[in-house]
Structures are given as C-alpha cells and as structure tokens.
Amino acid sequence: MDSDQPGAPSGEPPEQDPFRKRPPEGGDLPPDRPSAGGGPESAVPGGGPYGPPPPGGPPPGSPPPGGQGTPPPGGYGAPPPGGPYGGAPYGGPYGAPYGGPDPLAGMPPLASLGRRLLARIIDGLLIGIPVGAVVGGLISGFDYGFGDNDDMGESTGVQLVILIVYFVYEGLMLSRSGQTVGKMLMKIRVAMLADGSVPAGSPGWTRAAVYSLPQLVPCFGFVFWLVNVLFCTWDRPYRQCLHDKAAKTVVVSAP
C-alpha cells in the first residue's frame, strides 16, 4: 500500500510537514519538546524549535534588527531608568513629582530657618533698644514712675513708634540691597522669586509692611504676626512667610 499522504512531498514523512504538525495526543510529550508551562526546546541545529533561521537572517542570540549591538541597562524590554515615567522618580527635594522640573533649579540654597530667626533678633535689638530708650524718655520726660496709670499708655506708644521705625528701616534696606544688618551678619538675603534680583521699590516695601504694620492693630496684630513668622516652617517648596508671598520674594543664602 502506498504510504504517501496527499500534499506531502514524495519521500518525506507527513509529520515533517510544519503545516500539518499537530501536538501528540494522550498527554505524553517527547522530552525534547516544550510543554504548556515551558521546558526544553527541540534541539534543532542552528535555530529554534521550528527550524533553522531563514537564509541571511541574524545568528541566534543577536539583538533585534535596528539595534546597536549593545542591550540597554536591564536588557531588552526593561523599563527606562529613573522610574516608570522617566527622569528622577520624584524630582528634587522640593521638586514636582514624576520627574518634573525642580522649582529650585538655578537658585541659591534657601536660607536656614535658624539664620533667619537670628537675623530678625539682631534687627529687633538694633532698632528696639535705641528707639525704645529715646522715645520712652521723651514720652515720660525721663521719669519712669512704676505703678503710675500712664505706664501702659507709654509702653503702647513706644511699641508703635518702634514698629513704624522698623518698617521704614526694613523697607529702605531691602530696596537697597535685599539685606538688613541682621541678614548681612547671617549671610542671607531677600531675593525676587522670579529672577533672584534685589526687591527694590514696591516688593521691598510690601514685604516690610506685611511684617510690621499689622502689629499696630491690637489683638489681631499679634495673632497675624505669629502665623506669619511660623508659616515658613511648613511652607514648601520655598519656605516663604506670608510677607514673602505678598512680595513674591524668597530668602536665600548669600556669599
């Protein structure tokens, strides 16, 4: 009997025709064939489980066509370095998430909160002590009578004058160089957030006014001042107080 099947080349067993190839039935797979869960492949010389590579094709194990011959870090198909969205995983220390630009790029380092506090203390003593002594002496006629009913009024008057003088002092100094005496000693300065320039004119005076003048209002002034000076402790990314936000300024380190 003729064993050739229709459509098969003469002299070639039908199971060698790849288009007629079917997996064996009965659950027994040859040891050289892969199972459904993976396994050793057929050891066909010069190629994979389905025969040798086409003539002129790349040798086994070569990179995909169009590559440079060197696989990327982590191998082909690995995600890009720096996180799933490219760039740094979460930006800079105060930057935007997902690798966005760092808002502090190109800016001098932010001044530490300790130096800012010391600068305020120095300026407060520099203005408060001489102005308080002179104004207090003028109001009371250099006669400090403890227990007099006018003591509270005199103290309030001295504080009002100190606040006004401090406002003028800070406005002038910031408009001139971005530094008060205290900031010079602490090597910090006030700069415009947009370009780092000196807050000359309106920004400098606005910053000084928001810091000093609300304290002229009884009760409310102290509460506002307290919130204002503490605001920089939780503000991010620029550590601005409310007077910085009003003037669009930031406090940075100075050489």
Side-chain angles (χ1 to χ4, degrees):
M1 174 182 284
D2 189 0
S3 61
D4 291 343
Q5 297 293 331
S10 175
E12 182 177 355
E15 62 269 17
Q16 298 300 323
D17 185 352
F19 297 100
R20 291 181 177 271
K21 190 72 174 176
R22 297 290 183 272
E25 297 181 359
D28 295 330
L29 296 177
D32 60 345
R33 296 297 180 183
S35 63
E41 296 179 347
S42 173
V44 179
Y50 300 105
S62 62
Q68 300 299 322
T70 302
Y76 294 106
Y85 302 102
Y90 301 105
Y94 306 105
Y98 310 118
D102 186 354
L104 299 175
M107 182 184 296
L110 294 176
S112 68
L113 300 182
R115 290 190 177 188
R116 294 175 66 172
L117 176 60
L118 290 176
R120 284 291 184 186
I121 293 175
I122 293 172
D123 289 330
L125 296 176
L126 181 65
I127 299 299
I129 292 177
V131 173
V134 172
V135 175
L138 292 176
I139 292 177
S140 63
F142 296 95
D143 181 17
Y144 295 95
F146 295 101
D148 293 344
N149 294 331
D150 294 337
D151 286 349
M152 183 175 295
E154 292 175 2
S155 176
T156 302
V158 171
Q159 291 177 7
L160 294 179
V161 175
I162 290 176
L163 288 174
I164 294 174
V165 173
Y166 191 95
F167 158 67
V168 175
Y169 157 78
E170 185 174 20
L172 289 173
M173 296 292 287
L174 294 182
S175 294
R176 184 179 66 87
S177 63
Q179 291 180 298
T180 60
V181 174
K183 288 178 173 57
M184 292 178 189
L185 295 176
M186 291 294 104
K187 294 184 178 181
I188 62 177
R189 70 181 181 91
V190 177
M192 295 301 299
L193 180 60
D195 53 13
S197 61
V198 172
S202 178
W205 287 100
T206 299
R207 190 178 191 276
V210 174
Y211 178 81
S212 299
L213 297 186
Q215 300 177 61
L216 298 175
V217 181
C219 298
F220 167 79
F222 174 77
V223 175
F224 179 84
W225 174 85
L226 187 61
V227 174
N228 181 17
V229 297
L230 292 178
F231 201 86
C232 60
T233 61
W234 61 74
D235 179 71
R236 294 295 182 274
Y238 303 113
R239 297 180 186 170
Q240 292 173 300
C241 293
L242 296 180
H243 51 263
D244 286 309
K245 292 187 176 296
K248 298 180 180 179
T249 58
V250 67
V251 184
V252 297
S253 299

